Amino acid sequence: MRGIVTRRRYGEGMTTALERFYSVIPAGGIGSRLWPLSRADAPKFLHDLTGSGQSLLRATWDRLEPLAGPDRIMVVTGRAHRAAVEGQLPDLDDHNIVLESEPRDSTAAIALAAAILMKREPDVIIGSFAADHVIRGDRLFRSTVTQAVQTAEAGYITTIGIQPTEPAIGFGYIKTGTQLDVPGAELATKVDSFVEKPDLKTAKRYLHSGDYLWNAGMYISRADVLLTELERHEPEMHALVMELAEAWDDPATRGPAVDHIWPRLKKIAIDYSVAEPAAAAGRLAVIPGHFDWDDVGDFASLAKLNSSGRKTDLAILGENARVLSDASSGIVVSQSNRVISLIGVTDIVVVDTPDALLVTTSQNAQRVKSVVDALKLSGRDDVL
Amino acid sequence: MRGIVTRRRYGEGMTTALERFYSVIPAGGIGSRLWPLSRADAPKFLHDLTGSGQSLLRATWDRLEPLAGPDRIMVVTGRAHRAAVEGQLPDLDDHNIVLESEPRDSTAAIALAAAILMKREPDVIIGSFAADHVIRGDRLFRSTVTQAVQTAEAGYITTIGIQPTEPAIGFGYIKTGTQLDVPGAELATKVDSFVEKPDLKTAKRYLHSGDYLWNAGMYISRADVLLTELERHEPEMHALVMELAEAWDDPATRGPAVDHIWPRLKKIAIDYSVAEPAAAAGRLAVIPGHFDWDDVGDFASLAKLNSSGRKTDLAILGENARVLSDASSGIVVSQSNRVISLIGVTDIVVVDTPDALLVTTSQNAQRVKSVVDALKLSGRDDVL
């Protein structure tokens, strides 16, 4: 081990491991289940979904910035979002924005970031954190990441699993394994296995057993370890990413390399290309996170997030929302200045945007994606 | 009796009574239960609620016009609606539009029309027909009116009661009395009494008894008979209306008379000021109407009207409606060009206008008026 995390304050008493840490923020997903709020040109991460006054992306930046400073955060996003991302993150270094010519899922985004950063700093430790999750308890989050960095330094690909607070059926779970002995990471265990979204009965069993954590898709790892793991399971992908990274920092070579390589990158989530095989081989560690976390996967989740946890509140999102309602639950998202009136509807979801309106219920929130698919099929791309 | 209705064709073989007939269309009500479709500046009667391409007012005109010609229809409406009414009814004679400085309910509107017309033609027979009801079967409607005109000629204030087709609880009922013997009006009976909106059990009893008709608020009467009846029960109102009518047709006297008299007119429905007392005194007759009629009182009624009678249809109203829905019942009214998406909601009512949105259910349709009241109280008159 290179040192011990003292956890006094970030920025002083910092360990060597944390000094080598670099945050990566993949900001790619549209968030189709949040249509028509989330759009191709206004994806979920650019929205303020908590009424905090800042976007999820900006909140992610602010959460990570104290860990290793503003110069050590890389954002991977679509070309179309460059202006919006740079507008929200004025401290983002030009060298630290990776623009995807088209989305290629999380393996491409994270592995390319890892490869680019490793070329710049061979011993870099990276942590990837989605741009569109909501976390409350930033200090607790950072102390958890610090333990994960120590565990990564010890050679493990390390994830942060969220301590469940209810038998959620909307998340995948991580089964924890044997305790590790990593200095500065007292909570680290091996990952026994990943399990898919359970039914309610199974979720209750998971919750009561104490052996399961929610999979929040956060991965902290030495870049070399991550890329070696990728090479084991997806050697072609690995080769393409390394070739692209090699060309990245030279303006003369980047463009041709992107044109040549990007279309050949496989669309695969990093959970499948790296995390699950690593877990099966005993090379994946997990730190339990005790902070509040939500992936805001649909409007039911958004409603919960914005109703002070009380199930009898109608959540209202939108700066200029003018809502007249007798609804005791559900959510209204108002992006227009229209008066919205709800009478005698319960657990309702109303999303009011200038060119599209959604009316559904919390129970049907997961089905919103199917509307986006139907709109695509019918050629109504103008509202996607 | 002055003659017999031959019912060959309107316009030929016409009786003397029908030649003296004048239609009056009170076009006053906003239709608060159809908010936000109906507004103070775009009341129900100006809307096309049937997808026919014409407004309810225009359809009312077209239904009445063959009875006595375009020169014998008078419209009573608010000053604010003059341009819209004249735009929709280009054949409406200047002398036949009565502009209310502010709404004073149906007695003021109908009695004033009767008094103005009686001053012009002492033996005129008037029939008042709401501007915002939907009728299907215009020829049957006109033959029913013709019988009513004959009955009115005989001295009765005559209403047309709709033959019930279901145990509706949203309408008032008319209990029919003894058969009358009016030539040309074989179906005429006295009205036994008016009854308020019943509960379902009572409505079923009414339907099965065969003695009850729906009160559609249509009144046909000699103007002198109507005004004499008003004088009996509301002498002050009668005096004011007669004074106003006396001044009406002279441009020099109308304005001052309106300013002086209008604010003093009592707000009372003609059902209470004239019809119910006349019925109690045995002076009210009724002709059963076998045509389709609806007062389109709320969105549940509008849904039914626009779903081909099938209860498993989602009714969609709006020229440019772009609706994506799995709803099997209810109604969408689209006045914007927005994509409207409904997922997993049944019997839903969605009314989408440029500045206001309503989401409710058919079961709660009657409660829409309460929103209008709440908006008034909160000063949000901009959307009323």
Side-chain angles (χ1 to χ4, degrees):
Chain A
M1 305 308 311
R2 300 225 183 178
I4 305 278
V5 175
T6 61
R7 273 184 266 160
R8 272 177 298 172
R9 278 184 60 192
Y10 303 99
E12 51 171 295
M14 193 182 272
T15 70
T16 314
L18 200 53
E19 278 171 356
R20 285 157 47 210
F21 180 69
Y22 223 106
S23 295
V24 174
I25 306 177
I30 292 173
S32 292
R33 275 186 290 263
L34 292 182
W35 180 89
L37 179 62
S38 286
R39 306 289 184 99
D41 62 354
K44 186 179 156 195
F45 60 84
L46 293 177
H47 290 279
D48 170 14
L49 294 186
T50 60
S52 67
Q54 61 178 195
S55 73
L56 298 186
L57 173 64
R58 177 70 215 191
T60 303
W61 173 281
D62 288 349
R63 189 179 307 122
L64 294 167
E65 196 266 351
L67 279 167
D71 300 333
R72 296 181 70 82
I73 304 179
M74 175 172 270
V75 175
V76 187
T77 193
R79 281 182 182 169
H81 306 311
R82 178 180 197 156
V85 167
E86 290 179 343
Q88 294 197 0
L89 309 177
D91 290 338
L92 176 63
D93 191 290
D94 270 359
H95 284 87
N96 280 342
I97 182 163
V98 174
L99 297 173
E100 302 179 299
S101 50
E102 51 176 336
R104 274 291 182 269
D105 217 324
S106 58
T107 300
I110 296 167
L112 177 60
I116 292 169
L117 291 171
M118 187 173 74
K119 184 158 185 288
R120 297 179 191 167
E121 302 177 20
D123 61 354
V124 70
I125 294 171
I126 69 155
S128 76
F129 306 95
D132 57 4
H133 292 177
V134 168
I135 286 172
R136 282 173 182 149
D138 282 7
R139 297 177 69 90
L140 200 51
F141 166 78
R142 286 190 291 266
S143 74
T144 310
V145 172
T146 305
Q147 290 209 28
V149 171
Q150 294 303 118
T151 313
E153 167 69 6
Y156 292 98
I157 299 175
T158 307
T159 188
I160 293 172
I162 310 300
Q163 191 69 49
T165 52
E166 56 175 344
I169 60 170
F171 305 136
Y173 284 71
I174 295 166
K175 188 180 185 195
T176 56
T178 53
Q179 178 77 35
L180 289 174
D181 181 22
V182 178
E186 298 78 3
L187 300 173
T189 66
K190 282 198 177 183
V191 169
D192 179 88
S193 56
F194 286 87
V195 288
E196 296 291 330
K197 296 177 186 180
D199 58 24
L200 186 61
K201 192 180 160 194
T202 310
K204 284 183 177 168
R205 185 164 59 75
Y206 290 173
L207 180 66
H208 293 130
S209 78
D211 295 336
Y212 291 83
L213 303 168
W214 290 335
N215 180 7
M218 304 174 188
Y219 294 106
I220 298 94
S221 172
R222 278 173 20 203
D224 62 341
V225 169
L226 184 85
L227 290 164
T228 301
E229 195 70 43
L230 178 66
E231 190 175 18
R232 281 195 186 101
H233 314 291
E234 295 284 347
E236 196 186 346
M237 188 75 173
H238 174 262
L240 290 169
V241 162
M242 296 306 284
E243 188 185 341
L244 191 50
E246 187 62 34
W248 196 264
D249 281 334
D250 182 344
T253 55
R254 185 195 295 182
V258 166
D259 292 346
H260 176 62
I261 294 167
W262 205 271
R264 296 157 62 199
L265 292 174
K266 186 172 169 181
K267 284 188 184 179
I268 182 172
I270 196 156
D271 307 73
Y272 305 126
S273 65
V274 170
E276 291 189 6
R283 288 189 291 268
L284 203 81
V286 61
I287 312 288
H290 293 263
F291 46 86
D292 284 348
W293 166 89
D294 201 304
D295 69 352
V296 207
D298 61 27
F299 285 111
S301 156
L302 191 59
K304 210 171 131 199
L305 204 64
N306 284 277
S307 59
S308 332
R310 281 176 294 171
K311 285 196 173 170
T312 53
D313 273 359
L314 176 74
I316 297 176
L317 214 67
E319 267 179 65
N320 302 310
R322 301 165 70 194
V323 178
L324 205 71
S325 167
D326 63 0
S328 59
S329 55
I331 184 166
V332 173
V333 181
S334 168
Q335 290 202 312
S336 72
N337 197 32
R338 306 196 307 166
V339 166
I340 299 173
S341 175
L342 313 182
I343 306 172
V345 286
T346 325
D347 246 345
I348 195 85
V349 173
V350 174
V351 185
D352 182 45
T353 77
D355 61 354
L357 169 69
L358 170 72
V359 178
T360 185
T361 64
S362 297
Q363 289 77 6
N364 287 280
Q366 284 281 321
R367 294 173 54 208
V368 171
K369 197 174 178 302
S370 68
V371 171
V372 173
D373 296 341
L375 286 167
K376 262 183 207 158
L377 281 174
S378 64
R380 288 187 262 195
D381 291 357
D382 55 317
V383 293
L384 292 178
Chain B
M1 303 310 310
R2 298 225 185 178
I4 305 276
V5 175
T6 61
R7 273 184 268 160
R8 272 177 298 173
R9 277 185 60 190
Y10 303 100
E12 50 172 296
M14 192 183 274
T15 70
T16 314
L18 200 52
E19 278 171 356
R20 284 157 46 211
F21 180 69
Y22 224 104
S23 296
V24 174
I25 307 177
I30 291 172
S32 292
R33 277 186 289 263
L34 292 181
W35 180 90
L37 178 62
S38 285
R39 306 288 185 100
D41 62 354
K44 186 179 156 194
F45 61 83
L46 293 177
H47 290 278
D48 170 13
L49 295 186
T50 60
S52 67
Q54 59 178 197
S55 72
L56 298 186
L57 173 65
R58 178 71 214 189
T60 302
W61 174 280
D62 288 350
R63 188 180 307 122
L64 295 168
E65 195 267 350
L67 279 168
D71 301 333
R72 296 182 69 82
I73 304 179
M74 175 173 271
V75 176
V76 186
T77 193
R79 281 183 183 167
H81 307 310
R82 177 179 198 155
V85 166
E86 290 179 343
Q88 294 196 3
L89 308 178
D91 290 338
L92 176 61
D93 191 289
D94 270 359
H95 284 85
N96 280 340
I97 182 163
V98 173
L99 298 174
E100 302 179 299
S101 50
E102 51 176 335
R104 275 291 183 269
D105 217 324
S106 57
T107 300
I110 296 167
L112 178 60
I116 292 170
L117 291 171
M118 188 172 75
K119 182 155 187 289
R120 296 180 191 166
E121 301 178 20
D123 61 352
V124 70
I125 295 171
I126 69 155
S128 77
F129 305 95
D132 57 4
H133 292 179
V134 169
I135 286 172
R136 282 174 182 148
D138 282 6
R139 297 177 68 90
L140 201 50
F141 165 78
R142 286 190 291 264
S143 74
T144 310
V145 172
T146 305
Q147 291 209 28
V149 171
Q150 293 304 117
T151 312
E153 167 69 5
Y156 292 97
I157 299 177
T158 308
T159 187
I160 293 173
I162 311 301
Q163 191 69 51
T165 52
E166 57 176 342
I169 58 169
F171 305 137
Y173 284 70
I174 294 167
K175 189 177 185 197
T176 56
T178 54
Q179 178 78 34
L180 289 174
D181 181 21
V182 179
E186 298 79 4
L187 300 173
T189 66
K190 282 199 179 183
V191 169
D192 179 88
S193 55
F194 286 87
V195 288
E196 296 291 328
K197 297 177 185 180
D199 59 24
L200 186 61
K201 193 181 161 195
T202 309
K204 284 182 177 168
R205 186 164 60 75
Y206 289 173
L207 179 66
H208 292 128
S209 77
D211 296 334
Y212 291 83
L213 303 168
W214 290 334
N215 180 7
M218 304 174 189
Y219 295 106
I220 297 93
S221 174
R222 280 175 17 205
D224 61 341
V225 169
L226 184 84
L227 290 165
T228 301
E229 195 69 44
L230 177 66
E231 190 176 16
R232 280 195 187 101
H233 314 292
E234 296 284 345
E236 195 187 348
M237 188 78 174
H238 174 264
L240 290 170
V241 163
M242 296 306 283
E243 187 184 344
L244 192 50
E246 188 61 36
W248 195 264
D249 280 335
D250 182 343
T253 54
R254 185 194 295 181
V258 166
D259 292 346
H260 175 61
I261 294 167
W262 205 270
R264 296 156 63 197
L265 293 173
K266 185 172 171 183
K267 283 190 185 180
I268 182 171
I270 196 155
D271 307 73
Y272 305 126
S273 64
V274 171
E276 292 190 6
R283 288 189 291 267
L284 203 80
V286 61
I287 311 289
H290 292 264
F291 46 86
D292 284 346
W293 167 88
D294 202 304
D295 69 352
V296 208
D298 62 27
F299 285 112
S301 156
L302 191 60
K304 209 170 132 199
L305 203 64
N306 283 277
S307 59
S308 332
R310 281 176 293 171
K311 285 196 175 170
T312 54
D313 272 359
L314 177 73
I316 297 176
L317 214 67
E319 266 181 66
N320 302 308
R322 304 203 297 163
V323 178
L324 206 71
S325 167
D326 63 0
S328 59
S329 56
I331 184 165
V332 173
V333 181
S334 168
Q335 288 202 313
S336 73
N337 197 32
R338 307 194 309 165
V339 166
I340 298 174
S341 175
L342 312 183
I343 308 172
V345 285
T346 324
D347 245 347
I348 195 87
V349 172
V350 174
V351 185
D352 183 45
T353 77
D355 60 354
L357 169 69
L358 170 72
V359 178
T360 185
T361 65
S362 297
Q363 288 78 6
N364 287 280
Q366 284 280 322
R367 293 174 54 210
V368 171
K369 197 174 177 303
S370 68
V371 171
V372 173
D373 296 339
L375 286 167
K376 261 182 207 158
L377 281 176
S378 65
R380 287 186 265 196
D381 291 357
D382 55 316
V383 294
L384 291 179

